[in-house]
Amino acid sequence: MNNLKRILDIIFSLCALIILSPIFLGLYILIKFKLGSPVIFKQERVGIKNRVFTMYKFRTMNDLKDDKNNLLPDYLRLTKFGKIIRSLSLDELPELFNILKGDMSLIGPRPLLVEYLKLYDGEQIRRHDVLPGLTGFAQINGRNNLKWSEKFKLDVWYVDNWSLKLDIKIFFLTIYKVLKREGISGAGEITVSKFTGLN
């Protein structure tokens, strides 16, 4: 079944990249004009078996810095234009290239920061037993409105209960959630709060 999942990932990502190419081009031009270069935001994330890979997203923040040349907090750098892109989950589209490369799957636990690796307990780190996904079980059950501990429980549940039928259900529920713009950020937050090992 894992081979079938990989074949479906390749077919989906190729078809999506072809069909959505006009949207990619339009977003590229808009981001270049409004936020400048680079248009694609690259960041190291953790994948299957704790392997680190470079994840691609469309840029949504500017590079404003303080008088000591440090980047300002996310909530000050996230532009109105960037908020719109995030609310529609359009910033995630370049991850289709990660799916095509085999770094990610369409469905799976969301890939998180490398710095979190040392904070997981023995159960939470099991989320890395499968490929990370563009969307996942936690995304249809609260997304960023969930506490980190709740997200990880849902991720591990997915690992233990994976099936093609479950992936299909998650896919269609994700479309519904995106259209409703649910759970984009945590309650009272502009972006997602960092995992500290205590939350």
Side-chain angles (χ1 to χ4, degrees):
M1 290 296 284
N2 284 331
N3 288 336
L4 176 59
K5 183 178 171 81
R6 177 63 188 142
I7 291 170
L8 291 174
D9 280 340
I10 292 172
I11 293 172
F12 175 85
S13 55
L14 273 175
C15 291
L17 285 167
I18 293 170
I19 294 170
L20 298 175
S21 57
I23 295 176
F24 267 84
L25 179 60
L27 281 172
Y28 188 94
I29 294 171
L30 283 171
I31 294 170
K32 180 81 171 177
F33 176 73
K34 290 181 174 292
L35 297 175
S37 296
V39 172
I40 301 296
F41 172 72
K42 300 178 182 179
Q43 189 175 55
E44 288 193 334
R45 297 290 178 103
V46 181
I48 190 170
K49 305 303 179 186
N50 301 334
R51 295 172 192 152
V52 176
F53 70 96
T54 301
M55 189 178 81
Y56 311 122
K57 299 180 77 169
F58 276 126
R59 181 181 180 189
T60 57
M61 297 185 186
N62 58 41
D63 289 326
L64 292 179
K65 298 179 179 179
D66 60 21
D67 53 5
K68 296 181 181 179
N69 207 37
N70 297 313
L71 285 172
L72 294 175
D74 288 354
Y75 74 92
L76 292 176
R77 294 190 297 118
L78 181 61
T79 65
K80 184 176 180 181
F81 173 66
K83 289 177 185 177
I84 294 172
I85 293 177
R86 287 194 180 195
S87 72
L88 297 171
S89 295
L90 294 175
D91 59 316
E92 311 282 358
L93 289 181
E95 291 167 45
L96 290 168
F97 289 104
N98 288 118
I99 296 174
L100 192 59
K101 287 172 58 183
D103 297 327
M104 294 173 60
S105 176
L106 175 60
I107 312 294
R110 285 293 295 161
L112 300 177
L113 299 175
V114 177
E115 65 191 72
Y116 295 169
L117 262 179
K118 62 181 181 294
L119 302 175
Y120 298 131
D121 62 28
E123 185 71 3
Q124 292 169 343
I125 204 166
R126 291 180 55 225
R127 69 191 305 278
H128 297 148
D129 287 349
V130 297
L131 281 171
L134 182 65
T135 185
F137 193 58
Q139 279 59 53
I140 64 167
N141 285 286
R143 199 175 174 181
N144 294 325
N145 285 327
L146 297 170
K147 294 180 180 178
W148 280 108
S149 58
E150 294 171 332
K151 290 182 191 177
F152 295 148
K153 285 180 181 178
L154 292 170
D155 289 341
V156 173
W157 185 92
Y158 173 83
V159 171
D160 291 337
N161 294 275
W162 176 82
S163 70
L164 197 55
K165 181 179 179 180
L166 177 61
D167 277 2
I168 293 171
K169 177 182 177 181
I170 292 171
F171 175 77
F172 285 106
L173 282 175
T174 295
I175 295 174
Y176 172 74
K177 296 286 184 177
V178 168
L179 292 176
K180 288 191 69 177
R181 303 188 187 185
E182 289 185 355
I184 296 161
S185 59
E189 298 174 344
I190 299 297
T191 55
V192 183
S193 62
K194 285 198 170 186
F195 175 55
T196 63
L198 301 174
N199 52 348

